[in-house]
Structures are given as structure tokens and as C-alpha cells.
Amino acid sequence: SSNDVFAIYEDRHDNLWVGTARGLNTFDRETGACVRHLADPENSQSISHDHVRTIAEDHHGTLWIGTANGLNTFDYESGQFTRYHHNPDDAGSLVNNAISSIYEDHEGTLWIGTNLGLERFDYDTGTFQHYQADSDDPHSLNFNQITTLFEDRAGTLWIRTYVSG
């Protein structure tokens, strides 16, 4: 759908997912078919936005897709998406809709990087816990715009921020 590719991911079903600036694409190697998933404002079960920034699969087999405007999961059986968005009236919703990174650590904790901080997803409640920069707390994030998440062999979660490293 676009030559501006931001994410490539191979899921456990051997599908190749390609996230671009103009949509999410699925390539099936067996059939050679390519399916394009586009945002549709009239369909709440479509992907939330066409600018796909990151793709990851958790230990449950759920495919997570982060876009410039929302976080999504994909249901393989129905072919539908579930959207997660910031809701100012819900403290357990995302703090921001601009999703930059998704990472599941060795303990099965799902981490979401946004433009306004780090999120930890609670599978039991379907809510998010927020971690943000606090100039009064030297142990907090140094900047809220998260770009990359990575866990090293020792189990330390590394968080790259846009400005401060």
C-alpha cells in the first residue's frame, strides 16, 4: 500500500504483516495473496488508522498493531480489529493514541510506547497503567516520547526516548 514501511512482522501462522504509512498489509506465502487492511471511519471493527508504526504478537497469540491514532488487536477468526483509544473520562485507557512501540517481556507483560509515556497492559482488566516523566523523580522516565522498547538477557527493559536517550 506504500513504500514507506514502518513495521514488518511474521506471526505464528507464517503470515507476513507489513505496516506502512498508508495501511496494513498481510502477505500469505502459501497462496501469494496480499490483503490490505484500511481504516474505515464507518466501521469500528476496522483498524483505527492507516499509518501503522509497530506490530507484535503476545504469548496468547494476539496480534497487536500500533498506529498513529490508536492501538489495535486483530482477531484471526473474524478478520476484525478491536481498537484501544485514549478516553479522558477513563483513567485506565491509553494516555495517548500515538503508538510507537509494542513489546512483551519475558514475564508476559505487554508494554506500549506512546508519545506521552509508557503503558503497561493489564490482561485481567483490559486497562493500562501509565508511566511518565517526572522532573522531581530521578527514577522516572527522562522524556515521555517513547521510540523503542527492548529487553536484554538479564531481564532489564530498556526504553529509548526521542530526546533524552
Side-chain angles (χ1 to χ4, degrees), residues 78-154:
S78 68
Q80 304 295 313
F81 293 87
T82 299
R83 299 175 178 181
Y84 295 87
H85 279 103
H86 170 68
N87 177 349
D89 298 325
D90 180 1
S93 72
L94 285 168
V95 71
N96 182 265
N97 290 329
I99 309 302
S100 56
S101 52
I102 303 169
Y103 190 84
E104 184 180 53
D105 69 20
H106 74 281
E107 294 179 344
T109 302
L110 189 69
W111 299 95
I112 312 295
T114 77
N115 279 0
L116 286 179
L118 181 65
E119 305 281 345
R120 186 179 75 187
F121 183 70
D122 185 323
Y123 285 99
D124 294 330
T125 63
T127 61
F128 297 88
Q129 181 176 356
H130 318 300
Y131 299 88
Q132 294 182 299
D134 179 350
S135 60
D136 294 329
D137 181 358
H139 301 290
S140 72
L141 292 170
N142 59 6
F143 194 72
N144 280 328
Q145 191 171 354
I146 309 299
T147 59
T148 308
L149 300 169
F150 175 77
E151 182 181 22
D152 66 21
R153 289 185 196 115

Side-chain angles (χ1 to χ4, degrees), residues 3-58:
N3 288 334
D4 294 326
V5 175
F6 291 90
I8 300 173
Y9 188 83
E10 183 178 25
D11 69 18
R12 62 182 64 193
H13 305 287
D14 295 325
N15 295 309
L16 188 64
W17 296 83
V18 181
T20 75
R22 293 194 182 121
L24 177 66
N25 304 272
T26 312
F27 179 73
D28 185 324
R29 290 188 188 112
E30 290 183 22
T31 65
C34 188
V35 176
R36 189 173 175 194
H37 307 274
L38 296 174
D40 179 355
E42 304 297 319
N43 180 0
S44 64
Q45 295 179 327
S46 70
I47 193 165
S48 63
H49 197 272
D50 288 334
H51 186 152
V52 176
R53 295 179 170 174
T54 184
I55 305 167
E57 190 173 20
D58 67 18

